[in-house]
Amino acid sequence: MLSTLVELDQVGKSFASTEKVLEGINLNIKHREFVSILGESGCGKSTLLNLIGGFETLSEGDLSIAGKPVRKPGRQAIMLFQHYNLLPWRTVQKNVELGLENEDITAAEKHERASGYIQLVGLEKNADHFPSQLSGGMQQRVAIARALAIEPEIILMDEPFAALDTFNRYYLQDELLRIQRKAESTIVLVTHDIDEAVYLSDRVIILEPNPGRIKRSLKIQLPKPRDRSHDDFQYFRKTIFDSFQFGGTENEPDYHI
Ligand SMILES: Nc1ncnc2c1ncn2[C@@H]1O[C@H](COP(=O)(O)OP(=O)(O)OP(=O)(O)O)[C@@H](O)[C@H]1O
């Protein structure tokens, strides 16, 4: 039985300039769980991720990671974006070491730890390359290695593969599952892609808007790696799609929201 890592209890968020963005969010995330958050644009997905990361402050409720209240950004949670935010003048090795700058370890230890994670994401042959010499998918793997090197409790991902073409996206989804298994990471992913959510997640959280609340929490107990063409996979895709209640169209849905 996996233990709870992240606990959100009646979490709410308002910005000075807006109505309530999130209300009454109750969510527990377990160690090594892969949770995706889906919901229409503006329903508060990124805000929820930012709260978990400590980048925004709570307006209501409680939020803790590993039993400690989250009040500011820190090593407990690292955010990965669609834009990789690599420094172009630093090599892969030096970009991964960047996350370790505030750690109280020697230069040799930094190098060693970074090298280990570069190897984990399969880029050991590219350690001396600069970001401009890498494909988008490879750059995202560097960003993943940099996040892993910090050894956070949880990795938060805000549409990390949205800028990639389908082939690279599928490849990186597989890589992410492999890396997650090896590094035993806990991941929360915001995505607009229902297929991606079903492929990767142990649980899918569907938010509804105005204010953002949890509409549905769906466990996906299919073994990984998953077969996108399997009936079980299609069942979950359809269940999620139906919960958005789009309806009213004869067109084949593309399962993006
Ligand atoms: N810093 C902020 N100040 C004021 N309003 C904000 C801020 N951040 C987000 N909002 C508002 O909160 C609401 C939810 O935004 P958020 O980015 O969390 O939604 P989202 O579901 O991630 O949207 P999308 O799918 O389009 O990225 C929006 O109305 C947005 O304008």
Side-chain angles (χ1 to χ4, degrees), residues 13-22 37-50 55-56 158-159 190-192 207 209-210 212 257:
K13 176 69 184 172
S14 312
F15 294 101
S17 54
T18 56
E19 300 283 309
K20 242 183 197 181
V21 172
L22 291 171
I37 301 169
L38 282 169
E40 64 187 65
S41 189
C43 71
K45 302 181 294 298
S46 298
T47 303
L48 182 55
L49 219 55
N50 283 329
F55 303 105
E56 295 285 359
D158 201 347
E159 298 193 61
V190 162
T191 180
H192 284 100
L207 294 187
N210 302 318
I257 49 170

Side-chain angles (χ1 to χ4, degrees), residues 186-197:
T186 308
I187 296 178
V188 182
L189 170 84
V190 162
T191 180
H192 284 100
D193 184 343
I194 293 176
D195 182 273
E196 179 167 280

Side-chain angles (χ1 to χ4, degrees), residues 65-105:
I65 297 182
K68 297 192 195 96
V70 174
R71 300 227 163 79
K72 55 180 170 45
R75 279 192 46 186
Q76 76 276 4
I78 298 297
M79 182 84 90
L80 274 178
F81 297 98
Q82 164 177 350
H83 305 293
Y84 324 115
N85 296 327
L86 302 179
L87 298 181
W89 59 88
R90 294 183 73 144
T91 62
V92 166
Q93 177 77 34
K94 292 293 177 193
N95 263 289
V96 175
E97 286 181 26
L98 195 65
L100 304 176
E101 254 162 25
N102 294 327
E103 301 249 342
D104 194 16
I105 54 177

Side-chain angles (χ1 to χ4, degrees), residues 3-8 26-38 154 180 186-191 194 196-206 214 216-222 224 226 236 240:
S3 56
T4 299
L5 176 65
V6 184
E7 284 187 86
L8 288 90
N26 292 316
L27 177 63
N28 285 355
I29 298 167
K30 294 191 167 64
H31 279 278
R32 282 184 272 152
E33 197 175 12
F34 197 127
V35 174
S36 290
I37 301 169
L38 282 169
I154 185 160
Q180 190 213 4
T186 308
I187 296 178
V188 182
L189 170 84
V190 162
T191 180
I194 293 176
E196 179 167 280
V198 176
Y199 191 72
L200 295 173
S201 312
D202 304 310
R203 194 149 49 107
V204 174
I205 305 292
I206 299 170
I214 294 180
R216 189 157 187 194
S217 168
L218 192 67
K219 274 197 179 151
I220 305 194
Q221 287 166 319
L222 302 176
K224 297 179 191 175
R226 294 174 178 162
F236 282 108
I240 294 171

Side-chain angles (χ1 to χ4, degrees), residues 151-216:
E151 299 182 344
E153 300 278 3
I154 185 160
I155 299 180
L156 308 170
M157 301 187 151
D158 201 347
E159 298 193 61
F161 307 141
L164 302 173
D165 60 62
T166 306
F167 179 78
N168 258 310
R169 201 159 56 231
Y170 281 2
Y171 175 71
L172 261 193
Q173 287 168 0
D174 282 332
E175 277 292 277
L176 183 61
L177 287 177
R178 181 185 66 76
I179 293 164
Q180 190 213 4
R181 205 172 48 246
K182 276 201 147 181
E184 302 192 338
S185 331
T186 308
I187 296 178
V188 182
L189 170 84
V190 162
T191 180
H192 284 100
D193 184 343
I194 293 176
D195 182 273
E196 179 167 280
V198 176
Y199 191 72
L200 295 173
S201 312
D202 304 310
R203 194 149 49 107
V204 174
I205 305 292
I206 299 170
L207 294 187
E208 60 186 349
N210 302 318
R213 282 153 296 158
I214 294 180
K215 180 176 189 182
R216 189 157 187 194

